[in-house]
Amino acid sequence: MNLDMYAEELIYNYEHPKNKGELGRPNAKAHEENISCGDKVTIYLSVEGGIVKDVRFNGSGCVISMGTSSILTEALRGKSLSYIETYGRDRLLKLINIDPGPVRMHCATLALRALRKAALEYEHKPIDSETRDL
Ligand code: FES
């Protein structure tokens, strides 16, 4: 893992998170936890016409999971549900600009799993294995 790049952007977003807190009236919401470490995130979406008009997160966890929650929610506001449902691990890693390696991958994908789950549940679609295994 490149700790320098990790330190710069993720630590900044961990210490100054964007979009942290609950939405007043979310019309989609999903929770994910990493059982091995206890870190958790809840995603709240405000969806209009298939577009995510607003997005917030709440949770607790490590620098990677919470920093990524901040960066990812910022990047996915204004995007369509279908875009989020197919947003994959490769795109996420480019966005956060680190390679967390296999041990910390579950940290980096925590918020994305919750985001995809919220989008799929809003559209009454089943949670696919790709989302579960991110
Ligand atoms: Fe738990 Fe990172 S150590 S999500």
Side-chain angles (χ1 to χ4, degrees), residues 1-21:
M1 179 167 52
N2 184 333
L3 286 173
D4 290 341
M5 290 164 87
Y6 157 70
E8 271 186 37
E9 183 150 14
L10 283 181
I11 289 181
Y12 182 82
N13 275 274
Y14 176 76
E15 291 176 344
H16 309 280
K18 300 176 191 92
N19 311 314
K20 187 139 192 220

Side-chain angles (χ1 to χ4, degrees), residues 97-132:
N97 204 21
I98 63 162
D99 174 7
V103 175
R104 304 301 297 277
M105 189 62 76
H106 67 285
C107 307
T109 56
L110 181 67
L112 181 56
R113 288 200 305 276
L115 267 158
R116 283 178 57 147
K117 196 168 148 188
L120 290 165
E121 284 180 351
Y122 179 85
E123 298 201 295
H124 305 290
K125 293 179 182 173
I127 308 301
D128 57 316
S129 59
E130 197 186 320
T131 300
R132 267 195 305 271

